[in-house]
Amino acid sequence: MSALEPSGTRTADLPAPDLADGGILGRTHRALSIGIITVVLLIAFEATAVGTAMPVAARELDGVSLYALAFSAYFTTSLFGMVVAGQWADRRGPLGALAVGMSAFAAGLLLSGTALSMWTFIAGRAVQGLGGGLVIVALYVVMGRAYSPRLQPTIMAAFAAGWVVPSVVGPLVAGTVTEQLGWRWVFVGIPALVVFPLALALPATRRMASGPADPSAPVPPFDRRRIRLALAISVGAGLLQYAGQELRWLSVLPFVAGAALLGPAVVGRRALLPHGTWRAARGLPSVVLLRGIAAGSFIAAESFVPLMLVTQRGLSPTLAGLSLAVGGATWALGSYVPARPRMEAHRERLMVIGMVLVALAIVAAPSVLVEAVPVWVVAVAWAVGCFGMGMVIASTSVLLLKLSAPHEAGANSAALQISDGLSNVLLLAAGGAGFAAMGGGAVSGVGGGHPGAFVVVFLPMGVVALAGAFVAGRVRAA
């Protein structure tokens, strides 16, 4: 699953759609709902498809040593896009951020799909991430403005359902395309599909959710301080990632520079994350921190699963991708469990259990490096981990809205996404550095590279996920 997933879904415990609105597919909302749900479907398909095609792309472009950077470049630039989109949408409405974001998303896919070197491929991923950051925040704002409170949970549930089919079908389609036509078509084929959802969503967004939230109030200027902090986060995270990939003495310089840029932006007095996030203060700070821990540890580990199966066990890209496919269904099922009315009182305990399941899945995955262990163990482990992630991710979004005043919902939603994206970048940087240090860059074919290069990715991420179980016990406000 991707950090771009619009989450916070609840189903059975939510009120029925407002009959006056006709539901999310009623005449009032039909075009908008189909448009933005299709956007989510494309994002979901891209997230699952890229993971399947990436091992082949990295080997063909002679860039396996930069494998983690190809993933994290997306999250690095999306951090900046999220903050810009939040301010853009608050002042002018979500229309501009949504249109520009989807255009950049498509342009990044085209750049990666036509790349002749790994660094050009990474640049494309960065452009794509900038667009993705704009889109995810814009979608949250559209939900808040265009749908009544009684319809919002329904559209959230539709977003979650939009991830199930791509998660199952995406690896099969991407693997088949990669093997029959080449990995480039996985990237260049998606932009053509962007036209349809934009043709539906943009006019409906202009009609139902354009302009500032309060048209009678003066439009405040962009908060340049927050923009600078967001840029510092993106550049700092990128420098840390680069330092982790280039294991030389000179790498100390970008590491120090990156840390200096990140510090004020994430732990300073006027940071972009809620005060107390890094010490897991009870309530909202712990919710934001937990989101980062869960997403970062899981995505960092998941990014290396297809590469491990292709290079160490000789699976085709299709079969390697399918090992993760069932996770889409179990993720949706995990989101459903805490949504049951009788489970509301046990939400905190379910989140703790969810993080334990995530930790167990991550630790179990590298067991397939032992030849005697069947490869289907990864599929089972990842299904369990996705179930746990479903419980945790859905609950963090629900709790965020509960703990946020109406005028703070946008800023706090951006903080949640920043925690998600920043954790992805930092943990991918750490995992990528360990992978490179253990000879992971030598992976080029079946049995290539040292199996220990994968172990030093998965086991630390399992420890981080287990730490998330402690943080999950602190999400209730004191």
Side-chain angles (χ1 to χ4, degrees):
M1 305 295 285
S2 166
L4 268 178
E5 177 187 358
S7 52
T9 58
R10 304 179 72 189
T11 51
D13 64 329
L14 297 166
D18 191 337
L19 296 180
D21 290 333
I24 64 171
L25 293 179
R27 183 174 59 183
T28 302
H29 296 92
R30 184 181 298 127
L32 179 61
S33 297
I34 293 175
I36 61 178
I37 291 171
T38 305
V39 168
V40 173
L41 281 168
L42 288 177
I43 292 173
F45 179 79
E46 182 276 339
T48 56
V50 166
T52 302
M54 192 75 82
V56 178
R59 284 190 294 175
E60 184 174 313
L61 296 174
D62 194 26
V64 174
S65 62
L66 299 173
Y67 186 80
L69 188 57
F71 276 99
S72 65
Y74 182 105
F75 301 114
T76 299
T77 54
S78 69
L79 294 170
F80 181 68
M82 289 171 191
V83 175
V84 171
Q87 296 200 36
W88 191 349
D90 285 343
R91 287 154 179 77
R92 301 294 182 185
L95 180 64
L98 182 61
V100 173
M102 286 304 296
S103 300
F105 188 79
L109 284 167
L110 288 174
L111 182 57
S112 291
T114 56
L116 299 179
S117 70
M118 193 62 176
W119 282 110
T120 305
F121 181 89
I122 291 170
R125 292 285 291 163
V127 173
Q128 188 187 347
L130 178 62
L134 292 170
V135 169
I136 184 59
V137 174
L139 286 176
Y140 271 104
V141 177
V142 169
M143 282 193 298
R145 293 193 184 183
Y147 296 87
S148 67
R150 294 179 65 85
L151 288 177
Q152 288 172 7
T154 307
I155 192 66
M156 286 183 180
F159 279 10
W163 276 81
V164 176
V165 174
S167 296
V168 175
V169 177
L172 177 61
V173 173
T176 302
V177 171
T178 299
E179 293 175 28
Q180 301 300 321
L181 300 176
W183 63 268
R184 296 182 185 277
W185 286 99
V186 174
F187 291 85
V188 302
I190 296 177
L193 303 177
V194 170
V195 177
F196 169 73
L198 287 184
L200 285 175
L202 294 185
T205 300
R206 180 182 293 109
R207 185 177 68 254
M208 303 174 67
S210 62
D214 184 359
S216 63
V219 179
F222 275 83
D223 187 338
R224 295 182 179 180
R225 180 190 65 84
R226 290 184 66 84
I227 297 294
R228 288 195 298 270
L229 289 177
L231 184 60
I233 283 182
S234 292
V235 175
L239 288 172
L240 288 179
Q241 178 69 66
Y242 177 78
Q245 297 297 299
E246 298 292 331
L247 299 179
R248 300 175 297 173
W249 282 110
L250 288 177
S251 298
V252 174
L253 297 178
F255 178 86
V256 172
L261 287 170
L262 277 178
V266 298
V267 299
R269 184 178 297 275
R270 303 176 69 186
L272 296 176
L273 301 180
H275 180 67
T277 296
W278 297 110
R279 56 182 175 85
R282 284 196 172 275
L284 182 63
S286 284
V287 172
V288 172
L289 178 60
L290 178 62
R291 177 60 166 264
I293 289 175
S297 59
F298 193 76
I299 296 299
E302 185 180 62
S303 300
F304 283 86
V305 170
L307 184 66
M308 178 175 66
L309 294 177
V310 168
T311 61
Q312 301 299 308
R313 295 301 298 264
L315 268 65
S316 67
T318 302
L319 290 177
L322 284 175
S323 67
L324 307 177
V326 71
T330 58
W331 189 302
L333 180 60
S335 299
Y336 175 79
V337 170
R340 301 294 297 169
R342 62 176 178 271
M343 293 296 181
E344 178 61 33
H346 308 290
R347 186 179 295 278
E348 181 179 317
R349 183 178 301 173
L350 290 174
M351 295 170 77
V352 173
I353 293 172
M355 288 308 304
V356 172
L357 293 178
V358 171
L360 291 175
I362 293 174
V363 171
S367 65
V368 298
L369 292 169
V370 179
E371 195 68 29
V373 177
V375 293
W376 54 258
V377 167
V378 170
V380 173
W382 229 246
V384 171
C386 284
F387 181 82
M389 284 292 289
M391 291 198 292
V392 173
I393 298 299
S395 293
T396 55
S397 293
V398 170
L399 287 174
L400 179 90
L401 295 177
K402 283 187 175 182
L403 296 172
S404 299
H407 66 281
E408 297 176 337
N412 288 341
S413 294
L416 193 73
Q417 297 299 327
I418 289 170
S419 176
D420 189 319
L422 180 61
S423 180
N424 284 331
V425 173
L426 295 180
L427 292 180
L428 272 166
F435 183 74
M438 291 294 293
V443 173
S444 58
V446 178
H450 197 291
F454 292 97
V455 174
V456 299
V457 172
F458 286 95
L459 294 189
M461 297 309 151
V463 173
V464 172
L466 192 59
F470 166 76
V471 177
R474 299 178 58 82
V475 295
R476 294 284 187 184

